[in-house]
Amino acid sequence: MHFQWYPGHMTRARRQMQEDMKLVDVVIELVDARIPHSSKNPDIDELAKNKARIILLNKADMADPEKTALWKEALEAKGFFTVLVNSRNGNGIGEVHKVIQEACAKKIERDRSRGIMNRPIRAMVVGIPNVGKSTFINTFAGKACTKTGNKPGVTKGKQWIRLNKNVELLDTPGILWPKFEDQAVGMRIAFIGSINDEILNPRELSLLLIDFLHSEYNGALSARYNIEETDDPAETLAGIAGKRACLQKGGEYDYDRAAGFVLDDFRNGRLGRITLESPE
């Protein structure tokens, strides 16, 4: 299964982000805590050179807590300010204000030495599609100031959002990078829904996920669907189809519908706290 998706609007978004980067003091990048490496856009490292950097491990409530702790330690060792958040219920959001001030301490001190007082910190919020960027901004601002959705590409253009007298946020459309050098990266971001499902084969994708879960989180599928897991992902999917009454005319299993259950349950945390990758 080959993973590749880079719509034309993302090329424009990257070009615009490059221009807007000159306007900001700090870059806040959201990654999915279940795939911190795969959901971190390597283009941002190039675009945000010489900027303070904050990484938010979003959806931390869905990720394996032991692996999340390892990821936080690894990212901070690379110089990133790192916060665990859950944008939907607001966990960790309060800490972000404090970390913005810490990340921009040198900038604030430099302004004061020049007699510039109370100039708000300008922060750019970035992230690949479907990592919860718009939900974070709405929760952070305490109001529905951006459009949100559970499909890639809801945010179409940039928006400045005044949080308070100290911080302004620049929202940007989610962008992927042009080519996945490692197809495993493409697979993982497909698992979390950052690639449009309409261009993927959900049955093949679910079989890959089932295979991983059986290997690394054995028992998660049996606990959710009351089935017996096997070493054969196709047999496991058949068991799920039977338990969920995914049937076509004639009584044959509807594997695509069963695959949809697996992917949706994983994406919404119903299979337990799962992380798909570990720091090197």
Side-chain angles (χ1 to χ4, degrees):
M1 190 173 186
H2 185 72
F3 301 94
Q4 193 60 49
W5 183 50
Y6 197 71
H9 79 269
M10 290 194 179
T11 300
R12 296 190 297 274
R14 188 188 189 282
R15 192 179 303 122
Q16 186 62 56
M17 183 182 292
Q18 192 169 18
E19 287 299 311
D20 292 339
M21 198 67 71
K22 303 169 187 175
L23 307 175
V24 302
D25 306 302
V26 59
V27 176
I28 301 173
E29 182 176 9
L30 270 79
V31 300
D32 191 305
R34 297 167 295 180
I35 53 168
H37 168 70
S38 295
S39 60
K40 185 180 181 301
N41 189 338
D43 280 1
I44 302 301
D45 290 338
E46 176 64 25
L47 292 171
K49 285 190 302 187
N50 305 317
K51 300 291 180 181
R53 299 288 303 279
I54 298 171
I55 291 183
L56 305 184
L57 290 160
N58 194 30
K59 305 183 183 180
D61 58 309
M62 297 185 188
D64 184 326
E66 291 183 6
K67 290 186 178 180
T68 299
L70 293 176
W71 274 110
K72 188 175 190 299
E73 181 180 345
L75 290 166
E76 289 176 345
K78 292 183 177 181
F80 297 106
F81 292 83
T82 308
V83 185
L84 275 57
V85 300
N86 177 348
S87 295
R88 289 194 178 277
N89 66 15
N91 283 350
I93 297 295
E95 189 178 347
V96 178
H97 280 290
K98 180 182 72 172
V99 172
I100 288 175
Q101 299 296 317
E102 291 177 2
C104 295
K106 291 182 179 178
K107 176 262 178 192
I108 294 169
E109 185 58 37
R110 190 166 56 247
D111 281 353
R112 285 176 180 166
S113 69
R114 295 171 179 172
I116 302 171
M117 306 296 289
N118 301 321
R119 184 171 77 87
I121 295 169
R122 285 193 153 186
M124 178 185 287
V125 183
V126 301
I128 70 170
N130 221 33
V131 292
K133 185 164 58 68
S134 294
T135 302
F136 160 72
I137 291 172
N138 289 345
T139 304
F140 195 40
K143 57 186 177 182
C145 50
T146 70
K147 292 183 179 180
T148 61
N150 58 6
K151 294 183 179 181
V154 171
T155 305
K156 299 297 184 183
K158 68 176 180 178
Q159 303 178 72
W160 279 105
I161 300 153
R162 184 72 178 260
L163 292 185
N164 51 47
K165 66 179 182 179
N166 296 320
V167 180
E168 293 179 350
L169 292 184
L170 176 62
D171 184 23
T172 59
I175 62 170
L176 292 174
W177 47 106
K179 183 180 180 182
F180 302 129
E181 300 294 340
D182 182 354
Q183 281 291 294
V185 169
M187 177 183 69
R188 293 181 194 119
I189 68 170
F191 284 159
I192 68 167
S194 292
I195 298 178
N196 195 326
D197 283 335
E198 294 175 3
I199 66 170
L200 299 172
N201 183 319
R203 190 189 306 186
E204 286 186 31
L205 190 63
S206 73
L207 291 174
L208 292 169
L209 180 58
I210 288 168
D211 189 48
F212 171 84
L213 293 173
H214 180 64
S215 172
E216 301 296 327
Y217 291 91
N218 192 9
L221 293 168
S222 60
R224 175 64 179 168
Y225 301 112
N226 192 26
I227 60 166
E228 182 177 344
E229 293 182 35
T230 74
D231 291 335
D232 184 347
E235 285 185 15
T236 301
L237 185 61
I240 294 169
K243 286 292 184 179
R244 284 291 190 263
C246 299
L247 302 174
Q248 298 176 324
K249 288 183 180 179
E252 295 183 0
Y253 287 146
D254 186 339
Y255 291 103
D256 288 341
R257 188 168 168 230
F261 276 121
V262 175
L263 294 171
D264 189 64
D265 284 344
F266 167 72
R267 290 169 182 172
N268 289 283
R270 291 189 286 266
L271 298 180
R273 300 186 68 169
I274 293 165
T275 297
L276 301 179
E277 58 191 7
S278 301
E280 294 179 359

